[in-house]
Amino acid sequence: GTVSWPQHTSLQLAAGPSCGPHVVEVPVVEVGSCVDVELEVCGGEGRCEMWYVLVDPSSVQAFGSPVRVMVEEEVKAECLVVDCETVKSARQGEYVKCSWVVCNSGRVAWPEDARITLFYQSVEGCAPEGVEIPSEVLPGQTVEVEVWVKAAEDFVGSFTGLYSLTSPSDGTFGEVLKCEFEVEDFPYMKAEEQEAEEQDAGEQEELKAEEHSEEEGVEVIACSVVCEGEVTGGEESKEECVIGRVSESLGKEVAVEAMLKNCTGRDLEGAVLKHVQGCDHGVGTIEVGKWCAGEVVHVAMGLKVSKLGTTSWVVEEGGRVILPALSVDLM
């Protein structure tokens, strides 16, 4: 303009939502000069558009060009814990699975680099620092996440582990994921040894209940074990075929496949592959059906490893056990 702005000139809201102040006083501005005006605005939902005008205090008339102010809402990721599952108590040294069903309760997809991160544990060295979660979880979708926590071997009492969803790009968001259980004053391995001795005694009696001639039995033509852990070869005898040994298998999925030949010299009616030793890891019985003499069948098992140790299956027909037993050592 050609004159200075008068004293008490103000910038007033003329149109748009009330996301910012209605009136802001501006200083006297000389001809050819500029001034910075700061507006403190609050976020609404989505985009907020406001228009301000300069008002002469003496005439209460607007002058100059209107000023457009745009405010974009910062939408952050959200997470709601729908369900939580864990045990109430564990023995010293025992591994415990804590799982949660979480929902994307926000309006945007979770960041691709989001993960579950531990930020507190009442006993150090028990819970993993973090685990990966599925990428691109869209609004309204639910996913299940889990961690394996080891109960301290020299601790008795309540254990608490707290996790949160974090992202290097978006920071921490959503509800806290809590894992709580009581640690009993009883070592896990001592209890496992007692249970294993009692179980093995009964299972060995079952395996040896009937003698077999050299001509009767099942021949393992080929076998394989696939897992993220290290897999080493097994060994075979007349009574047992160890398909493989898997290290660091707890909490993982192990795929077992075998090609079996009927060498009994007769057709088997209603044959099944039945679990007889250790934890079945979700695979109790596999039906084979009618199995002709000399025929080769393919069996496949997907084990979800929840407990370490040797697990075994045998072919059974009408209560008659046919060796060798098929075993996998989970370490």
Side-chain angles (χ1 to χ4, degrees):
T2 57
V3 297
S4 301
W5 292 356
Q7 191 174 8
H8 304 303
T9 295
S10 61
L11 193 65
Q12 298 186 15
L13 178 66
S18 300
C19 297
H22 287 259
V23 179
V24 178
E25 187 169 327
V26 297
V28 175
V29 180
E30 302 295 334
V31 176
S33 300
C34 299
V35 64
D36 292 328
V37 179
E38 293 184 0
L39 300 177
E40 184 176 344
V41 298
C42 59
E45 288 197 4
R47 175 182 295 181
C48 177
E49 180 180 2
M50 299 176 291
W51 290 87
Y52 283 84
V53 293
L54 287 166
V55 177
D56 186 329
S58 58
S59 62
V60 197
Q61 295 292 320
F63 66 93
S65 300
V67 179
R68 183 190 184 198
V69 178
M70 293 290 298
V71 179
E72 294 284 352
E73 178 192 12
E74 182 182 3
V75 182
K76 292 188 175 182
E78 296 290 342
C79 170
L80 177 68
V81 179
V82 178
D83 191 21
C84 174
E85 182 179 346
T86 187
V87 298
K88 293 183 178 180
S89 62
R91 290 166 291 195
Q92 294 170 321
E94 182 178 5
Y95 279 91
V96 173
K97 183 176 80 169
C98 297
S99 63
W100 303 269
V101 176
V102 291
C103 173
N104 182 346
S105 57
R107 291 183 287 142
V108 295
W110 288 351
E112 292 187 2
D113 56 0
R115 69 194 311 264
I116 303 295
T117 303
L118 176 73
F119 67 88
Y120 170 80
Q121 57 180 327
S122 56
V123 182
E124 291 297 323
C126 295
E129 294 297 323
V131 293
E132 302 298 326
I133 62 173
S135 60
E136 297 184 0
V137 179
L138 301 177
Q141 288 186 337
T142 60
V143 294
E144 183 176 356
V145 294
E146 64 180 42
V147 296
W148 285 87
V149 179
K150 183 179 181 182
E153 298 179 355
D154 56 353
F155 171 79
V156 176
S158 299
F159 172 83
T160 300
L162 301 178
Y163 287 84
S164 63
L165 272 77
T166 61
S167 162
S169 57
D170 280 27
T172 302
F173 62 93
E175 294 184 339
V176 172
L177 282 64
K178 183 183 295 185
C179 175
E180 291 182 311
F181 57 87
E182 293 291 323
V183 181
E184 300 175 349
D185 188 12
F186 193 66
Y188 174 67
M189 291 308 297
K190 183 177 180 180
E192 285 295 292
E193 290 169 1
Q194 291 178 352
E195 292 176 3
E197 288 177 0
E198 295 173 358
Q199 189 174 22
D200 286 346
E203 290 164 355
Q204 291 302 322
E205 287 298 322
E206 183 179 351
L207 288 174
K208 296 178 180 179
E210 189 170 342
E211 295 184 354
H212 304 274
S213 64
E214 292 183 358
E215 291 74 26
E216 272 198 352
V218 173
E219 181 181 356
V220 181
I221 303 297
C223 57
S224 68
V225 178
V226 179
C227 179
E228 294 178 4
E230 181 182 356
V231 179
T232 57
E235 55 192 38
E236 185 175 359
S237 66
K238 180 180 177 181
E239 294 187 351
E240 182 180 26
C241 174
V242 179
I243 298 176
R245 294 182 170 87
V246 186
S247 62
E248 300 180 356
S249 59
L250 188 63
K252 298 178 180 177
E253 293 191 1
V254 177
V256 179
E257 294 188 58
M259 302 293 292
L260 307 178
K261 183 178 180 180
N262 179 359
C263 297
T264 62
R266 61 187 179 85
D267 295 346
L268 302 179
E269 299 289 342
V272 297
L273 190 65
K274 182 180 179 180
H275 180 262
V276 293
Q277 179 182 3
C279 177
D280 66 10
H281 306 290
V283 182
T285 302
I286 298 177
E287 293 191 7
V288 180
K290 184 176 180 178
W291 191 2
C292 298
E295 181 184 7
V296 176
V297 296
H298 170 258
V299 294
M301 298 179 284
L303 310 182
K304 296 182 178 180
V305 182
S306 58
K307 185 181 292 186
L308 300 180
T310 299
T311 180
S312 304
W313 290 261
V314 295
V315 174
E316 183 177 292
E317 180 213 28
R320 179 185 179 91
V321 176
I322 302 173
L323 298 177
L326 305 179
S327 301
V328 178
D329 288 341
L330 303 171
M331 301 177 287

